[in-house]
Amino acid sequence: MLILSTKTVLAYGKVTAEGFVVLKGAKVNEHVSEKSVTPGAIKLRKKLFDDGKVKDLMTTEDLLFSSSSAAAVFVLGNSASGPMTWKNKNGTSLKELESKDTE
């Protein structure tokens, strides 16, 4: 289980064979930095909000993303490195965890 937490967001997620899943109940940032986020990511975020998969800034179901970075951008609303921002309960980043797996 991985956590992405700031002053404005709190999300739990996990790596799966299909991609990266942000779990139901994640609190996402209200604002999007249109300068740092790709048009495709902005469009996907808007679609998830419009489709009711996010209500009152909380995800209403588990959401699958192609990568941990795509998930982090969705939650944070700005450019982010998923491997650096998603951490386990001990504060170890996904990047560090993945590098330990390959050692």
Side-chain angles (χ1 to χ4, degrees):
M1 185 66 60
L2 298 165
I3 305 163
L4 196 165
S5 177
T6 69
K7 290 179 185 173
T8 56
V9 306
L10 176 60
Y12 292 88
K14 61 183 178 180
V15 177
T16 69
E18 293 82 30
F20 192 91
V21 175
V22 173
L23 301 177
K24 177 181 178 179
K27 182 176 188 298
V28 301
N29 193 353
E30 179 178 6
H31 304 286
V32 176
S33 172
E34 296 193 16
K35 291 181 180 178
S36 73
V37 177
T38 66
I42 291 171
K43 186 177 177 182
L44 173 61
R45 196 173 200 271
K46 182 179 180 340
K47 180 175 178 8
L48 292 170
F49 273 73
D50 291 348
D51 289 350
K53 296 186 189 302
V54 180
K55 287 191 178 167
D56 300 321
L57 301 177
M58 301 283 277
T59 58
T60 60
E61 60 187 73
D62 293 352
L63 300 174
L64 176 65
F65 293 88
S66 58
S67 68
S68 62
S69 291
V73 168
F74 167 76
V75 170
L76 294 168
N78 57 40
S79 181
S81 164
M84 297 301 291
T85 54
W86 289 100
K87 299 182 177 179
N88 70 8
K89 66 179 188 232
N90 299 321
T92 306
S93 72
L94 176 57
K95 181 175 179 136
E96 293 171 298
L97 294 168
E98 288 177 337
S99 70
K100 286 179 185 174
D101 287 345
T102 58
E103 290 177 358

